[in-house]
Each structure stands twice: as structure tokens, then as C-alpha cells.
Amino acid sequence: MLVVGNWKMNLDLAAARQLSSALVSSLGRQDHVEVGICPPFVALDAVYSVLHGSGIRLGAQNMHEADNGAFTGEVSAPMLRAVGCHYVILGHSERRQFFVETDAGVSRKAVQARAHRLVPIVCVGESLPEREAEQHETVVQRQLRESLENVELNHASELVVAYEPVWAIGTGRTASPEQVEAMHGHIRRQLEHRFGRTIGAGIAILYGGSVKPDNAADLFDRPDVDGGLIGGASLKADDFLSIVQAARR
Ligand code: PGA
């Protein structure tokens, strides 16, 4: 199981240090649960100093597809590696919605992340109109195909996929465990088709969208749910720790 906190554009440097310290002192090394946190870029270095040696892994929320160059405001994969990142979230729905990211762009970033030994957490998920039109499986299938184009894997641990229905993110409205199970099974079949049975079966598929301490266990119990990508609830140590606890059961 894998539980990753996506802090989004929250917490200043002092608060980032405080929250990561609280997690380190409570979590120590997890047996069956891997834990990652993704602070804003400006806090990565400071949070890495806190996490170092703890077993909690660091991730970024986005990156540029080039190594370096004239791309004002952007951050590259080598820069993320240099500050200790293991993961990078790519194609989050907020990036797709507010920053016009496309599947083709996500695929170029995922290839670049792999080239620099970062583990991409590639996000997919349908909007509410797409769900209501019963297009969710088609939409997610297309996102997976196009966002993972040219991505080569030697091992399942080199990629994470997060299913995040857009209508469940930050809305307090969670997909039902049945909806999550059905979609994760669908994603698993696509991954097995794309990367072969052995690798496809081992890729972690996270659910994200209003995961809270009181619904985490029901979601994590379902087949093909290998953990969660946690937004709002990752900003409070107690809530995030309860969610990690739910994954441990
Ligand atoms: P949420 O966000 O848990 O606040 O719904 C999840 C995400 O966007 O990764």
C-alpha cells in the first residue's frame, strides 16, 4: 500500500517543516505502507532535510519536460532529483483544468521523469458530465493510453497511477467503493495490456478524491486499490496519520 499527500499550494516554509516533523515522529518506518508527501517546490529542500532517513519519501507536484533552459517559472526533473524527490505527480486534474495540460504533455513529462529516475504518479479521472454520460471508462482509457505513450518500464515500482474523478476532488463527495473498484479494475486491465501481465499487475493504482479518515478503510479494502492520493486531509497530521493507519490494516 502507498499513501501520498498532495499539499497543493498550501503551507509556508515553517508550516511545511512542522507538518513533516510531526509525520516523521509519528510514523517512523512503515512495514506494509509506503508514505510520500508532495510539498510546494519552495519547501522541497527543507522538507527533505526533515524526512531524510525516515522512510517517508518526497515528491513534487509537477515538473517541466526539459532538462533546463529558458522556461521562466518552471522546474526540471534533474532539479527535483537534486533536492531528494522520489515521486512527481503528473497530469493532476487541476493542472489539466487550470494550466491546460494535455495527455501528450503528460506523456512527455512521464518519459522525462523516468529518464531521471523519478517515479511519476500519473493522474487520470473523468469530469462529472463525462460520468453522467457514462463515458468515464472511455475517458480514463484514453487518458491512460495517451499519457503513458512512450513510457517504458523495467519494473512495476517505476510508475504509479492515480484515479481521481474530478467531481470528487476537494468537494467532500467521494466516489463509492463500488465505483472505485470498477474503475480500478478497468485501469488494471489497461495497464496489463500496456505493460504486460507481470508489470501491469504490480503497478500501484491509488484512489484520490475526498479521502478522509472515516472513508479510507472502505476504499482501501477494495481489490486493485493500492492506496490513496490525499489532498485536503494530508494537511492535518492527525487526519493523514489515520489514513495511513487505514492502509496498514
Ligand atoms: P482531496 O484532493 O483529497 O482534497 O479531494 C485529492 C487530490 O487532488 O489529489
Side-chain angles (χ1 to χ4, degrees):
M1 296 294 279
L2 168 64
V3 178
V4 178
N6 172 12
W7 293 1
K8 309 193 179 181
M9 195 173 73
N10 293 295
L11 308 182
D12 63 17
L13 197 52
R17 279 203 186 96
Q18 203 172 15
L19 177 55
S20 48
S21 305
L23 298 178
V24 167
S25 51
S26 305
L27 279 176
R29 281 189 177 276
Q30 297 290 301
D31 286 345
H32 302 294
V33 186
E34 201 171 294
V35 178
I37 51 177
C38 304
F41 289 134
V42 292
L44 287 172
D45 190 34
V47 169
Y48 184 71
S49 307
V50 176
L51 299 186
H52 190 63
S54 73
I56 302 176
R57 283 174 155 154
L58 186 66
Q61 300 172 18
N62 180 34
M63 54 167 247
H64 193 271
E65 68 197 58
D67 277 356
N68 52 52
F71 299 105
T72 301
E74 293 291 322
V75 168
S76 72
M79 293 172 186
L80 297 181
R81 282 293 301 182
V83 291
C85 285
H86 178 83
Y87 296 111
V88 59
I89 299 172
L90 296 179
H92 188 281
S93 67
E94 288 151 15
R95 301 285 327 162
R96 293 175 185 265
Q97 192 179 342
F98 304 129
F99 304 96
V100 206
E101 291 207 6
T102 61
D103 290 318
V106 173
S107 138
R108 290 193 296 273
K109 290 181 180 193
V111 169
Q112 170 74 348
R114 283 308 309 137
H116 291 276
R117 291 179 294 110
L118 287 162
V119 175
I121 301 176
V122 172
C123 301
V124 295
E126 80 285 358
S127 65
L128 188 56
E130 288 163 345
R131 166 67 64 171
E132 285 171 347
E134 297 190 1
Q135 289 298 303
H136 45 288
E137 293 206 344
T138 315
V139 166
V140 167
Q141 189 165 342
R142 190 203 65 230
Q143 290 174 333
L144 282 173
R145 188 179 61 244
E146 295 180 5
S147 300
L148 297 176
E149 202 180 358
N150 300 321
V151 173
E152 306 287 346
L153 301 180
N154 297 313
H155 196 271
S157 62
E158 294 168 351
L159 172 69
V160 174
V161 171
Y163 170 55
E164 301 206 307
V166 178
W167 46 274
I169 295 176
T171 57
R173 187 175 164 190
T174 322
S176 71
E178 293 73 26
Q179 288 173 322
V180 172
E181 179 176 342
M183 183 60 88
H184 281 228
H186 178 62
I187 293 172
R188 178 72 67 209
R189 289 188 289 279
Q190 309 309 315
L191 294 176
E192 288 180 354
H193 179 71
R194 173 68 175 77
F195 296 107
R197 279 297 278 278
T198 314
I199 291 181
I203 294 170
I205 307 175
L206 309 184
Y207 170 75
S210 300
V211 178
K212 306 285 178 219
D214 59 357
N215 61 21
D218 277 351
L219 294 161
F220 294 165
D221 272 352
R222 298 286 166 149
D224 290 314
V225 179
D226 303 306
L229 182 55
I230 319 300
S234 72
L235 297 173
K236 292 194 195 117
D238 288 350
D239 285 359
F240 190 66
L241 291 165
S242 304
I243 293 169
V244 172
Q245 188 61 38
R248 199 187 274 159
R249 296 192 324 184

